[in-house]
Amino acid sequence: MRLLRVATCNLNQWAMDFDTNLRNVKESISRAKAAGAVVRIGPELELTGYGCEDHFLEQDTTAHAWECLKDILSGDYTDNILCSIGMPIIFKSVRYNCQVFCLNRKIIMIRPKMSLANDGNYREFRWFSAWTYKDELVDFQLPSDVSEATNQETVPFGYGYLQFLDVSLAAETCEELFTANAPRIDLAFSGVEVFMNASGSHHQLRKLNLRIDSMRDATRLCGGVYMYANHQGCDGGRLYYDGCCCIAVNGDVVAQGSQFSLKDVEVLDALIDLDAVSSYRACVSSFREQASHVTKVPCVKVQYKLCQTFRDGMIPTDPIEVMYHCPEEEIAFGPSCWLWDYLRRSRASGFLLPLSGGADSSSVAAIVGCMCQLVIKDIDKGDEQVKADAMRIGQYRDGEFPTDSRELAKRLFYTVYMGTENSSEDTRSRAKRLAEEIGSFHFDVPIDSVVSAFLSLFERLTGKRPRYKVDGGSHTENLGLQNIQARIRMVLAFMMASLMPWVHNKSGFYLVLGSSNVDEGLRGYLTKYDCSSADINPIGSVSKQDLRAFLRWAAVNLQYSSLAEVEAAPPTAELEPIRTDYSQLDEVDMGMTYEELSIYGRLRKIFRCGPVSMFQNLCHRWCGRLSPSEVADKVKHFFKYYAINRHKMTVLTPSYHAESYSPEDNRFDLRQFLYNSTWPYQFRKIDQLVQDIDKDGKWVEDRRADSQLRQRGAARPAQGGGMGVVAAGSANPSVGL
């Protein structure tokens, strides 16, 4: 029996903070060695941090990475342990994303990434090139100072594997796990038993199962050991890397790290029986046949043994049941950890939130409350780093430290209800009760006098005073009166965030939190430079439906019972006068429901539908409920307001990325912001399709009959095809053919 103890890790790295990154890498290696591991894998680009972006174009970034690697190799960190360390490397004037394999203070191989991530949030081709040569390993000339430290001039560079005396190992890097023609296939046929994946994978709601399934499938089909390492935390941008390092063997997960954690370093180890890998492969005849005539992959032979032989008490790690968080827990824990990292690394003293008593701002408040609860739990578990950060941010003195989440919230969280004559007593009382449950320092600030001052100034300038629609005013007047309330709140929020610490004799400043959700951003149902304009926004990429589910969950699990009442209340901006015969409601103002917005968003972004293809798909989806002309009106209405309001995305507050249909303009959803909002060509095509459908009465009858059969669960072949859309918050949020 060949037994191999391996270790992988989650590291909370910070882009361009080489001191923090190097310290975490060293700590992870030390912990791996202490656990008895002889193989250690770290996250992708761990020395620089993954999110350096255009800093990768600077020679300094690569040079500093080499300096950090030299520091590691100059000590005893790599003694008797194979370490894969991620960093950028320039070879023949081309920059590559690499894993550097080190053992006993020497570099034994450098493996450049072959499949780059270049969609969604990723732009790796902007900074790196993919390695495309598969037939040979080439010599890489080490930098002179590294060469002197290791007593090596050149090392093997390229695609290949490491052949030790008792085990063979190879690398995959992040995206290569998910590619169709993955490197591990040929590597497995060449006898590689252990695959080491250094990853930089961000959190997204309902995404973890994709990673776990990919690792299981990789080892189920080809056999072998799969070690997966990941970043964990906010490394300086909109993404939160959710960790969940894993070790899988022959289709089973044997070790799983935390998905959401405040820890800077987490190391996961397992004892693997490598004979089980060879036995698993040898029993599959198709694998044997394919492996017997495949082109061999280049290798580096290492005259060293990593495995142990069986001894009493040495038991290979058993498979485990994978732990998945429900979406409500993901919304609670992911943004909470992201906020904590942002707070401690920005050197701010806390957060300030305009708390309206509605679903969105209440969700943000609950997430901050959850953050405080997580901090207290980690302090109780003895995490000295979290304790030190909490003491510094909360400005504790004389050896005091936080022991209660509500007391901690009182020190680092301001909430402000900024009411007007249009605000209701219900929202005011809900905001106050929630603040009490969380423990925030709460203000109730009437702003009618400020609004009146602005209107009086406007009247002196123009001789006119605008009126609300319910009082006989025009649409322009009504919109202007709403916008001025919203923008005053933004100015007041930033003023309080900068000055309230001074008022309370605290140092520093508070970060203003935004609370617009992904659906409102998509529709543009927000005022430019209102309370949606903040420093950061933890829910900017979360749908309204998911937020309402989160509120129900948080009312019970976070013990903020007032959230149940918040969730039950109809969404309203409360920017127009309250009348007995009129109540302002968000969905009425928007001309569409939040459920419809989620469907539009998924079709527009995930399935790349323009107006015409969206109309065609929704005709199938909503047939029997809406006529084609009604579907056309809805699609036109959505695209009209999407186009009119797209410019707002250019100034949208940086938001935690959680949803695959986010309209965030700066990184994720790259589209123009000036549109012809009448979409003349596309809308004309839709009108023509409606006419064609109306002429064909049989088409409508067939679709209605088909819809009725589907509702009864009957099976009937589809006529014409189309996408079925499942709304956000459902068990399966995907759109299927």
Side-chain angles (χ1 to χ4, degrees):
M1 182 180 288
R2 293 175 299 146
L3 296 176
L4 183 71
R5 185 166 292 279
V6 299
T8 182
C9 58
N10 297 327
L11 298 186
N12 194 335
Q13 306 299 76
W14 191 2
M16 300 302 292
D17 184 353
F18 292 92
D19 285 339
T20 292
N21 299 343
L22 180 59
R23 181 175 63 249
N24 290 345
V25 171
K26 288 180 175 179
E27 176 66 19
S28 69
I29 296 174
S30 297
R31 291 190 192 180
K33 292 175 71 173
V38 292
V39 179
R40 177 266 182 198
I41 174 78
E44 183 177 15
L45 297 166
E46 59 187 311
L47 290 182
T48 59
Y50 184 86
C52 297
E53 298 188 325
D54 279 5
H55 283 295
F56 283 125
L57 303 179
E58 301 166 3
Q59 290 287 110
D60 281 2
T61 304
T62 302
H64 296 331
W66 276 115
E67 291 161 0
C68 291
L69 183 63
K70 176 188 173 184
D71 188 316
I72 293 170
L73 292 170
S74 298
D76 62 357
Y77 293 98
T78 62
D79 288 357
N80 304 312
I81 184 170
L82 174 67
C83 294
S84 171
I85 299 175
M87 60 180 282
I89 288 177
I90 297 176
F91 178 50
K92 294 185 177 179
S93 301
V94 180
R95 187 181 300 101
Y96 296 100
N97 177 347
C98 297
Q99 289 189 54
V100 182
F101 288 97
C102 306
L103 174 67
N104 292 329
R105 311 192 190 198
K106 293 188 181 294
I107 299 171
I108 57 177
M109 178 183 168
I110 299 174
R111 162 63 152 84
K113 191 173 182 179
M114 302 170 68
S115 298
L116 302 184
N118 208 59
D119 52 15
N121 287 291
Y122 299 100
R123 303 284 181 275
E124 287 189 4
F125 273 112
R126 182 179 175 94
W127 311 299
F128 301 106
S129 294
W131 182 259
T132 58
Y133 304 100
K134 291 189 174 184
D135 55 347
E136 65 176 338
L137 290 165
V138 298
D139 288 335
F140 175 82
Q141 180 71 47
L142 291 173
S144 58
D145 55 339
V146 178
S147 177
E148 292 173 3
T150 62
N151 197 28
Q152 297 173 280
E153 291 186 1
T154 63
V155 295
F157 185 100
Y159 170 60
Y161 64 94
L162 301 174
Q163 181 62 65
F164 284 78
L165 295 174
D166 50 4
V167 61
S168 54
L169 308 94
E172 284 195 330
T173 307
C174 199
E175 182 74 10
E176 292 169 356
L177 171 62
F178 308 104
T179 55
N181 187 19
R184 65 179 171 274
I185 297 173
D186 286 342
L187 289 166
F189 289 152
S190 295
V192 173
E193 298 161 301
V194 180
F195 303 97
M196 306 165 68
N197 188 302
S199 188
S201 183
H202 69 280
H203 172 243
Q204 192 168 285
L205 294 179
R206 307 173 178 92
K207 176 186 172 186
L208 179 60
N209 64 308
L210 171 64
R211 278 191 234 146
I212 299 294
D213 289 347
S214 296
M215 281 180 268
R216 279 176 160 165
D217 290 344
T219 57
R220 182 182 293 116
L221 295 174
C222 295
V225 181
Y226 207 94
M227 302 167 59
Y228 178 88
N230 197 16
H231 291 274
Q232 182 164 270
C234 168
D235 78 340
R238 292 163 171 80
L239 303 184
Y240 175 77
Y241 299 95
D242 57 336
C244 202
C245 56
C246 287
I247 302 171
V249 182
N250 295 342
D252 293 319
V253 175
V254 299
Q256 177 189 6
S258 65
Q259 187 179 9
F260 305 108
S261 173
L262 303 182
K263 297 181 184 300
D264 283 344
V265 178
E266 180 179 0
V267 176
L268 192 70
D269 69 278
L271 185 63
I272 308 300
D273 177 9
L274 291 177
D275 288 344
V277 173
S278 56
S279 174
Y280 181 92
R281 290 173 172 175
C283 73
V284 181
S285 61
S286 60
F287 183 91
R288 295 196 307 268
E289 291 304 310
Q290 291 172 357
S292 66
H293 58 264
V294 73
T295 302
K296 299 302 180 182
V297 178
C299 73
V300 175
K301 294 184 178 181
V302 186
Q303 299 300 311
Y304 190 84
K305 289 186 177 182
L306 293 175
C307 296
Q308 306 174 62
T309 55
F310 174 77
R311 297 195 308 273
D312 186 38
M314 295 182 63
I315 303 173
T317 307
D318 289 328
I320 62 169
E321 187 72 26
V322 176
M323 191 275 184
Y324 296 100
H325 290 284
C326 68
E328 294 81 3
E329 291 173 323
E330 292 186 86
I331 294 171
F333 301 141
S336 293
C337 295
W338 183 75
L339 284 178
W340 179 248
D341 276 347
Y342 202 101
L343 178 60
R344 67 191 183 110
R345 288 175 169 171
S346 67
R347 312 300 290 187
S349 302
F351 298 119
L352 183 140
L353 172 69
L355 182 59
S356 70
D360 295 333
S361 62
S362 296
S363 295
V364 174
I367 288 169
V368 177
C370 179
M371 181 198 78
C372 293
Q373 292 183 19
L374 292 177
V375 169
I376 296 301
K377 286 179 181 177
D378 274 27
I379 292 175
D380 290 343
K381 292 177 182 177
D383 192 314
E384 292 299 322
Q385 181 61 59
V386 173
K387 181 179 177 180
D389 287 332
M391 291 174 63
R392 175 180 57 81
I393 296 168
Q395 301 183 28
Y396 289 84
R397 295 182 176 86
D398 301 326
E400 296 180 344
F401 61 90
T403 58
D404 176 76
S405 64
R406 295 183 74 255
E407 189 272 334
L408 177 62
K410 182 72 71 175
R411 287 176 175 261
L412 56 78
F413 189 30
Y414 288 136
T415 51
V416 189
Y417 182 86
M418 293 180 274
T420 69
E421 60 183 358
N422 302 323
S423 304
S424 68
E425 184 55 38
D426 289 340
T427 56
R428 177 179 282 104
S429 62
R430 289 200 298 265
K432 181 180 179 181
R433 288 201 305 275
L434 178 58
E436 290 171 349
E437 290 172 345
I438 293 171
S440 66
F441 201 111
H442 187 65
F443 299 91
D444 189 332
V445 183
I447 62 171
D448 284 318
S449 60
V450 185
V451 175
S452 179
F454 269 89
L455 294 178
S456 296
L457 175 61
F458 181 82
E459 188 174 12
R460 285 200 301 272
L461 289 171
T462 66
K464 293 186 176 183
R465 192 176 185 91
R467 295 177 298 168
Y468 289 102
K469 180 175 59 179
V470 294
D471 295 327
S474 65
H475 172 75
T476 299
E477 294 171 75
N478 194 67
L479 191 60
L481 287 169
Q482 293 185 70
N483 287 349
I484 191 59
Q485 296 171 69
R487 289 181 173 131
I488 286 171
R489 287 169 174 156
M490 180 202 71
V491 174
L492 182 58
F494 275 97
M495 184 181 76
M496 293 185 70
S498 61
L499 291 179
M500 288 311 300
W502 167 72
V503 170
H504 289 147
N505 199 29
K506 296 180 180 179
S507 61
F509 63 97
Y510 277 41
L511 295 165
V512 178
L513 297 179
S515 59
S516 59
N517 62 63
V518 68
D519 297 322
E520 291 171 348
L522 178 66
R523 165 61 171 72
Y525 186 65
L526 51 93
T527 301
K528 204 172 186 178
Y529 307 117
D530 72 343
C531 283
S532 63
S533 299
D535 291 307
I536 50 175
N537 180 1
I539 66 166
S541 185
V542 183
S543 74
K544 190 76 163 190
Q545 290 176 279
D546 280 337
L547 287 174
R548 298 190 72 163
F550 164 70
L551 290 172
R552 294 191 294 270
W553 177 90
V556 176
N557 293 277
L558 298 181
Q559 299 182 347
Y560 302 147
S561 59
S562 63
L563 293 177
E565 184 180 342
V566 172
E567 190 278 329
T572 173
E574 290 194 334
L575 294 172
E576 296 184 56
I578 299 173
R579 298 286 189 269
T580 56
D581 58 344
Y582 175 76
S583 178
Q584 184 182 23
L585 298 174
D586 288 354
E587 292 184 331
V588 174
D589 278 357
M590 292 190 299
M592 60 192 73
T593 66
Y594 282 108
E595 180 181 2
E596 289 171 345
L597 261 175
S598 290
I599 293 172
Y600 298 149
R602 284 180 166 80
L603 286 174
R604 181 199 71 98
K605 176 64 177 175
I606 302 175
F607 290 90
R608 301 164 296 280
C609 288
V612 175
S613 56
M614 185 180 292
F615 164 75
Q616 291 171 319
N617 280 286
L618 290 178
C619 273
H620 291 279
R621 171 68 179 173
W622 290 341
C623 187
R625 183 162 69 90
L626 296 174
S627 69
S629 60
E630 290 172 324
V631 174
D633 289 342
K634 284 181 173 292
V635 170
K636 290 179 185 178
H637 184 71
F638 164 71
F639 273 102
K640 172 186 174 182
Y641 282 96
Y642 163 78
I644 289 173
N645 292 307
R646 177 66 185 180
H647 65 95
K648 296 178 183 179
M649 297 302 96
T650 64
V651 296
L652 200 67
T653 296
S655 302
Y656 178 99
H657 179 87
E659 183 58 78
S660 56
Y661 71 91
S662 169
E664 193 271 315
D665 172 81
N666 294 285
R667 295 290 189 280
F668 184 69
D669 188 32
L670 306 182
R671 288 167 167 82
Q672 75 268 32
F673 55 86
L674 179 61
Y675 282 88
N676 184 340
S677 62
T678 64
W679 301 82
Y681 186 90
Q682 294 92 330
F683 286 5
R684 192 165 62 249
K685 290 281 291 185
I686 291 175
D687 292 339
Q688 184 60 53
L689 287 170
V690 170
Q691 292 178 16
D692 293 343
I693 292 170
D694 288 342
K695 291 177 183 176
D696 187 1
K698 186 176 183 301
W699 189 96
V700 176
E701 292 177 6
D702 284 348
R703 294 304 181 275
R704 286 177 177 164
D706 190 53
S707 175
Q708 292 168 359
L709 285 171
R710 286 199 307 271
Q711 291 172 4
R712 294 198 298 267
R716 173 174 174 173
Q719 300 180 29
M723 295 181 185
V725 182
V726 182
S730 62
N732 180 4
S734 64
V735 181
L737 294 175

